[in-house]
């Protein structure tokens, strides 16, 4: 059992293989948080000495103990308006005048298996690996029952959290804030590492020491966003890739979120994460239930790489589901950068012929195939095949493509509607819109109100009927604007604060229905690239288009930032044309191949424009990728370079340490460079490794062939390797080493 209740100390302790999480039920029922860190035994309440720090008030029942304050003691799920002035987790009001939230312990249960939420995606139990702790608290004055849920994955060193709020009274409760979790880290000097960006430059890492006060990340966009990923790391100030305490927190949610961190007057740190409360409110009628999104937590004392590997493994095994979660992914070729909107039967046929000749598995027809869609100003919502572009119908083209030995994939953007569309003309009230105001347009489109049941059914039917009508093996599900004008014509004024979250609930229901009904279809998430790259999407779609930026050099930092939490099998990456369409940069085809060679690999170019030499090179890239696919999809990933280095280097190591693929790409070249020296990671120190293959890309000067070299694992790990200097435009080198 990884969950223990000590009746004497009144502690609830969650143990995983390497970590301990502990809380304590204090008199008269406050649930204190005692500890989250490396494995520790016993009751850790001795850490908190009574201390009256002034202006930190005392709960009524303990007012004689001036040193006992909710404002200074770590809390498991902080209330509001009750003397803890740090970040609240819960805020509410009622018609009888109750304001704020004050929670007291009622009971707890410990069960085998993992809890699930009825309305939101959660991590799943692959058969007996998780246990659930439910701690029931109550706000008596408001009539609210709060169930704190904890899923404990012992082997994986992951603890999940979520909250169920039940109106067990007789009056309506207005939830104004309902966080997924609160985590107090009372001691230590912490840095915050987070992943920010913008369209075509997602998930750039930034690390800074926590300042006193509140700081944080979040999204107000109705999506998790390009700008901030719902994942952050709190790490010891001197933690590195290889050592130091690191705590990661990730929301399993795809909508507006807030992850706030406060360093308080005592240098105690509190993280509160959940749905963004700005614009949010929820009417909880008597008997009703509200569930918060799940938060994934992991802690390690072994540095950032170990933390990343845990999240990568956990997302791959326990968030992704369905037959595609751990299957080799097809090598695809997507028509977007090959043809943009200039797509029709003839064009897609010719792209498909080229793709088949390259050895690609799957041809994806991107935007432009439906309604009057000749550009991005119109037709979203009109999901019927354009008869001028496809006079013999889509089925005929798909048959031809399948006869070429390719499977077929299709792009859709079903959450949207163009003003210029038959759908909008028929149902103007289906779009999110504030009455009396002209709506804000994004890419000339409006967002369908997925909080409405009929819209939810329409979105489901749009995709389901395509999948029923045609032999489609893959769907790219796009979403190309942030939400604005968030108001629903189907909700009364006092419930408008529910619209954004209800949108997500509708979306998840649609994704759930489709993926259950069509389990063999591979779905790829997309939101203008990586604008909705999160665990909520991954619970349904096992891969996500990482960025609309396909420039391999820009992709280095995008993919590396993404790797801090997400498995490479989820990160879709394609080789595109040079000069690159987003940056104009010219790069060698080999380097583009090195960078895109991840678990979800493909191409985004017109094969008709390739030279015969390039075609041969691409055939070789695909063959090499297929051979290494298991290593790339399920191997352990190591980051080997810091962002300030002139190069980016990484490594995949097989679980049994039998082989490793090392890749290095120069971000910039220098004359008379310092030695290119790195230490390899994750190898068996007792074994010897042979460089069985060396590949180079874009090297202007010959690079000595090191293949055949045999070196002890201990030397590679501790002494490292010194590589010959690489000269040229964005050159790279890739080495495959095998244990002897
Ligand atoms: C944005 C996506 O990220 C692109 O890959 C492409 O599918 C376009 N939308 C199509 O409009």
């Amino acid at each position: 059992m990884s969950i223990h209740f000590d009746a004497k100390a009144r502690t609830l302790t969650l143990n995983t293989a390497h970590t301990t999480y502990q809380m304590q039920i204090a008199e008269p029922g406050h649930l204190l948080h005692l500890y989250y860190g490396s494995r520790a035994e016993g009751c850790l309440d001795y850490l908190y000495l009574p201390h009256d720090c002034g202006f930190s008030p005392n709960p009524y029942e303990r007012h004689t103990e001036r040193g006992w304050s909710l404002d200074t003691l770590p809390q498991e799920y902080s209330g509001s308006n009750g003397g803890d002035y740090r970040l609240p987790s819960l805020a509410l009001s009622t018609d009888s005048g109750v304001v704020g939230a004050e929670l007291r312990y009622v009971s707890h249960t410990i069960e085998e298996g993992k809890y699930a939420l009825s309305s939101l995606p959660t991590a799943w139990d692959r058969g007996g690996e998780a246990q659930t702790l439910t701690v029931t608290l109550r706000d008596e004055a408001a009539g609210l029952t709060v169930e704190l849920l904890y899923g404990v994955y012992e082997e994986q060193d992951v603890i999940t959290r979520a909250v169920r709020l039940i109106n067990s009274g007789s009056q309506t409760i207005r939830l104004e804030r309902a966080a997924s979790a609160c985590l107090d880290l009372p001691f230590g000097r912490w840095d915050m590492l987070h992943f920010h960006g913008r369209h075509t430059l997602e998930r750039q890492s930034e690390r800074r020491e926590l300042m006193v006060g509140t700081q944080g990340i979040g999204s107000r966009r109705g999506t998790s966003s390009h700008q901030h990923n719902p994942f952050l790391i709190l790490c010891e100030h001197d933690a590195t890739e290889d050592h130091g305490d690191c705590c990661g927190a990730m929301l399993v949610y795809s909508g507006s979120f807030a992850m706030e961190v406060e360093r308080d007057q005592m240098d105690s740190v509190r993280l509160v994460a959940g749905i963004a409360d700005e614009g949010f409110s929820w009417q909880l009628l008597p008997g009703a239930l509200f569930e918060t999104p799940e938060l994934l937590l992991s802690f390690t004392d072994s540095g950032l790489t170990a933390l990343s590997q845990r999240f990568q493994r956990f997302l791959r095994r326990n968030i992704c589901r369905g037959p595609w979660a751990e299957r080799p992914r097809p090598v695809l070729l997507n028509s977007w950068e090959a043809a943009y909107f200039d797509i029709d039967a003839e064009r897609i046929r010719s792209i498909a012929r080229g793709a088949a000749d390259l050895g690609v598995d799957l041809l994806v027809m991107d935007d432009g195939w439906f309604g009057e869609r000749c550009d991005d100003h119109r037709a979203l919502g009109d999901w019927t095949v354009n008869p001028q572009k496809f006079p013999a119908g889509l089925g005929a083209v798909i048959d031809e493509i399948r006869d070429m030995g390719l499977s077929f994939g299709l792009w859709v953007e079903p959450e949207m509607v163009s003003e210029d569309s038959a759908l909008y003309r028929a149902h103007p009230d289906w779009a999110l819109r504030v009455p009396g105001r002209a709506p804000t347009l994004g890419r000339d489109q409006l967002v369908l109100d997925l909080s409405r049941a009929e819209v939810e059914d329409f979105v489901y039917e749009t995709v389901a009927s395509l999948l029923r009508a045609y032999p489609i093996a893959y769907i790219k599900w796009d979403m190309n604007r942030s939400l604005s004008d968030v108001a629903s014509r189907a909700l009364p004024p006092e419930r408008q604060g529910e619209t954004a979250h209800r949108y997500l609930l509708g979306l998840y229901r649609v994704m759930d229905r489709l993926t259950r009904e069509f389990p063999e279809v591979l779905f790829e998430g997309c939101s203008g690239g990586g604008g909705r790259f999160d665990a909520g999407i991954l619970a349904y779609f096992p891969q996500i288009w990482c960025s609309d930026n396909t420039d391999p050099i820009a992709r280095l930092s995008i993919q590396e930032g993404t790797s801090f939490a997400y498995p490479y099998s989820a990160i879709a990456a394609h080789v595109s044309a040079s000069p690159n369409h987003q940056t104009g940069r010219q790069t060698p085809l080999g380097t583009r191949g090195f960078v895109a060679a991840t678990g979800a690999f493909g191409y985004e170019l017109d094969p008709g424009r390739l030279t015969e030499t390039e075609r041969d090179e691409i055939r070789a890239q695909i063959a090499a990728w297929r051979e290494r696919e298991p290593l790339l999809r399920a191997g352990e990933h190591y980051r080997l370079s810091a962002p300030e280095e002139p190069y980016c280097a990484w490594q995949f190591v097989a679980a049994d340490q039998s082989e490793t693929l090392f890749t290095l790409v120069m971000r910039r070249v220098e004359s008379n460079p310092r030695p290119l020296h790195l230490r390899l990671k994750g190898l068996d120190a007792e074994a010897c490794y042979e460089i069985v293959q060396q590949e180079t890309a874009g090297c202007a000067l010959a690079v000595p062939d090191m293949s055949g070299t045999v070196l002890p694992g201990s030397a590679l790990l501790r002494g490292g390797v010194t590589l010959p200097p690489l000269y040229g435009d964005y050159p790279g080198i890739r080495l495959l080493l095998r244990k002897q």
Side-chain angles (χ1 to χ4, degrees):
M1 254 302 175
S2 44
I3 306 174
H4 305 273
F5 175 57
D6 181 330
K8 196 157 165 258
R10 307 276 293 157
T11 52
L12 282 156
T13 305
L14 319 178
N15 280 323
T16 67
H18 302 97
T19 68
T20 294
Y21 186 111
Q22 194 173 72
M23 63 196 93
Q24 186 175 48
I25 306 147
E27 285 304 325
H30 294 102
L31 192 61
L32 304 181
H33 173 80
L34 294 186
Y35 179 74
Y36 186 33
S38 294
R39 193 73 194 241
E41 306 303 323
C43 169
L44 286 113
D45 63 355
Y46 68 89
L47 292 171
Y48 307 101
L49 305 177
H51 170 63
D52 177 6
C53 80
F55 285 83
S56 288
N58 320 103
Y60 190 79
E61 297 88 336
R62 300 191 71 149
H63 72 273
T64 54
E65 298 166 70
R66 289 286 173 86
W68 207 95
S69 172
L70 300 183
D71 196 30
T72 50
L73 285 164
Q75 304 296 311
E76 196 52 35
Y77 192 68
S78 53
S80 51
N81 203 19
D84 177 355
Y85 298 98
R86 297 168 293 174
L87 286 169
S89 309
L90 184 65
L92 57 85
S93 61
T94 69
D95 288 342
S96 65
V98 175
V99 181
E102 195 189 278
L103 300 170
R104 301 282 168 94
Y105 170 86
V106 176
S107 61
H108 71 267
T109 58
I110 298 169
E111 286 160 288
E112 285 300 333
K114 165 74 183 8
Y115 67 85
L117 299 176
S118 59
S119 59
L120 287 162
T122 49
W124 59 292
D125 182 358
R126 281 200 166 212
E129 62 187 337
Q131 292 182 337
T132 296
L133 167 70
T134 306
V135 185
T136 302
L137 310 173
R138 194 165 153 79
D139 184 322
E140 208 50 61
L144 181 72
T145 299
V146 175
E147 292 178 357
L148 303 184
L149 302 168
Y150 300 80
V152 183
Y153 289 82
E154 187 170 355
E155 280 311 304
Q156 309 239 50
D157 281 315
V158 169
I159 293 175
T160 69
R161 295 186 55 178
V163 183
R164 280 196 198 116
L165 300 149
I166 304 138
N167 186 337
S168 45
S170 53
Q171 55 178 338
T172 299
I173 298 170
R174 280 180 299 278
L175 296 175
E176 281 137 21
R177 180 180 179 100
S180 300
C182 164
L183 178 69
D184 280 352
L185 297 168
F187 308 110
R189 186 176 165 203
W190 298 94
D191 284 4
M192 173 170 135
L193 177 56
H194 67 110
F195 305 91
H196 67 101
R198 56 180 186 265
H199 179 226
T200 68
L201 198 66
E202 299 89 337
R203 291 172 296 286
Q204 305 296 299
S205 59
E206 186 189 74
R207 179 171 173 170
R208 59 179 136 99
E209 188 171 355
L210 286 182
M211 56 179 193
V212 175
T214 301
Q215 51 242 278
I217 55 166
S219 161
R220 300 183 184 96
R221 294 172 176 268
T223 58
S224 47
S225 87
H226 299 87
Q227 286 71 14
H228 290 285
N229 196 260
F231 173 66
L232 64 75
I233 297 172
L234 295 171
C235 57
E236 262 185 319
H237 188 59
D238 57 2
T240 65
E241 288 283 4
D242 304 310
H243 75 84
D245 286 355
C246 301
C247 176
M250 173 182 283
L251 282 166
V252 185
Y253 193 54
S254 314
S256 298
F257 71 94
M259 297 181 96
E260 293 174 285
V261 183
E262 182 176 1
R263 187 174 139 204
D264 72 8
Q265 54 180 341
M266 293 301 184
D267 282 337
S268 176
V269 170
R270 170 172 294 175
L271 163 70
V272 172
I275 297 175
D277 55 4
E278 210 177 290
F280 167 85
S281 67
W282 196 274
Q283 298 250 341
L284 202 61
L285 301 177
L289 161 76
F290 180 84
E291 296 171 320
T292 72
E294 183 166 72
L295 184 82
L296 312 179
L297 285 173
S298 189
F299 184 97
T300 177
D301 58 13
S302 306
L304 294 163
T305 298
L307 187 77
S308 297
Q309 291 177 350
R310 282 191 193 160
F311 271 97
Q312 290 168 354
R313 213 175 304 133
F314 191 77
L315 293 178
R316 211 167 55 222
R317 289 184 81 253
N318 298 88
I319 289 288
C320 295
R321 65 200 77 195
W324 281 105
E326 304 231 33
R327 242 190 222 169
R329 307 293 162 76
V331 177
L332 65 81
L333 190 141
N334 179 296
S335 69
W336 182 240
E337 289 195 19
Y340 294 101
F341 291 103
D342 193 12
I343 200 83
D344 59 18
E346 192 37 54
R347 195 75 200 275
I348 198 72
R349 231 183 258 128
S350 112
I351 295 173
R353 266 194 296 272
D357 175 58
L358 295 174
V360 159
D361 303 307
L362 169 74
L363 193 269
V364 179
M365 181 155 72
D366 209 282
D367 202 348
W369 58 268
F370 54 94
E372 297 298 313
R373 186 78 167 168
C374 52
D375 53 30
D376 63 6
H377 298 290
R378 67 204 84 243
L380 290 172
D382 298 345
W383 298 105
T384 46
V385 179
N386 180 303
Q388 280 82 44
K389 292 183 175 188
F390 299 90
L394 182 58
V397 177
I398 298 180
D399 287 347
E400 284 179 68
I401 290 173
R402 282 159 53 94
D403 287 346
M404 295 174 200
L406 296 163
S407 52
F408 179 79
L410 194 64
W411 176 97
V412 288
E413 193 180 355
E415 297 163 65
M416 297 290 152
V417 63
S418 305
E419 251 195 321
D420 183 1
S421 68
L423 181 70
Y424 189 70
R425 285 185 281 275
H427 299 285
D429 56 326
W430 279 14
L432 291 175
R433 240 189 123 151
V434 177
R437 266 194 216 148
T440 307
L441 293 166
R443 210 191 188 199
D444 248 342
Q445 61 200 52
L446 296 161
V447 184
L448 285 174
D449 178 3
L450 262 165
S451 74
R452 296 178 71 150
E454 60 274 49
V455 175
E456 189 183 316
D457 286 342
F458 169 81
V459 173
Y460 161 80
E461 243 344 290
T462 295
V463 182
S465 54
L466 285 166
L467 292 175
R468 283 188 210 113
Y470 304 106
I472 294 172
Y474 158 107
I475 287 282
K476 177 175 173 186
W477 183 297
D478 206 348
M479 201 277 189
N480 282 302
R481 60 160 294 178
S482 307
L483 271 57
S484 66
D485 308 274
V486 180
S488 172
R489 306 288 273 277
L491 290 171
E494 66 279 11
R495 301 202 84 133
Q496 289 300 327
E498 301 177 16
T499 311
H501 183 59
R502 286 189 183 276
Y503 179 98
L504 265 298
L505 298 182
L507 176 67
Y508 288 143
R509 272 194 297 270
V510 172
M511 291 162 79
D512 190 51
R513 275 166 87 184
L514 288 169
T515 46
R516 278 178 202 277
E517 196 173 328
F518 303 98
E520 286 304 319
V521 174
L522 172 60
F523 285 86
E524 177 168 317
C526 176
S527 175
R532 213 164 49 179
F533 204 111
D534 57 66
I537 297 295
L538 286 180
Y540 304 99
F541 301 168
Q543 60 188 56
I544 304 176
W545 182 224
C546 181
S547 176
D548 270 350
N549 191 339
T550 57
D551 175 328
I553 304 309
R555 274 277 182 141
L556 291 172
S557 62
I558 297 171
Q559 292 179 189
E560 189 168 85
T562 310
S563 82
F564 273 85
Y566 298 94
Y568 266 79
S569 58
I571 304 175
H574 300 169
V575 172
S576 62
S578 177
N580 179 267
H581 292 194
Q582 292 78 43
T583 61
R585 182 164 19 211
Q586 304 204 29
T587 53
L589 180 54
T591 300
R592 282 175 269 153
F594 286 175
V595 177
T598 65
F601 176 61
Y603 291 82
E604 182 106 10
L605 44 71
D606 184 353
R609 293 181 181 219
L610 297 168
T611 64
E612 197 44 50
T613 319
E614 286 172 325
R615 273 198 278 279
D616 282 343
E617 193 173 339
I618 288 181
R619 287 185 198 107
Q621 280 179 352
I622 294 175
W625 182 83
R626 286 195 208 287
E627 222 172 90
R628 292 157 194 171
E629 190 278 339
L631 176 62
L632 297 165
R633 179 166 38 86
E636 296 288 17
H637 172 256
Y638 292 85
R639 291 176 293 269
L640 302 181
S641 52
E644 59 277 8
E645 299 286 2
Y647 57 84
C648 181
W650 63 97
Q651 215 188 319
F652 287 91
V653 181
D656 62 1
Q657 299 176 306
S658 58
E659 59 176 6
T660 183
L661 187 69
F662 162 87
T663 311
L664 179 144
V665 169
M666 298 302 293
R667 300 181 214 260
R668 56 182 183 276
V669 291
E670 293 163 352
S671 67
N672 193 16
R674 285 175 291 125
L676 260 183
H677 174 264
L678 306 98
R679 288 196 183 123
L680 296 197
K681 295 188 180 177
L683 302 180
D684 178 355
E686 307 301 318
C688 282
Y689 287 83
E690 180 186 348
I691 301 177
V692 291
Q693 202 175 27
Q694 170 176 324
E695 299 158 276
T696 56
C699 292
L701 301 179
V703 175
D705 188 3
M706 296 178 283
S707 38
T709 311
V710 177
L711 288 164
S714 56
L716 291 163
L717 289 165
R718 293 158 200 159
V721 285
T722 304
L723 298 169
L726 304 180
Y727 298 107
D729 282 336
Y730 307 106
I733 186 165
R734 188 158 72 173
L735 303 173
L736 182 67
L737 288 89
R738 219 164 260 149
K739 196 170 176 173
Q740 284 204 311

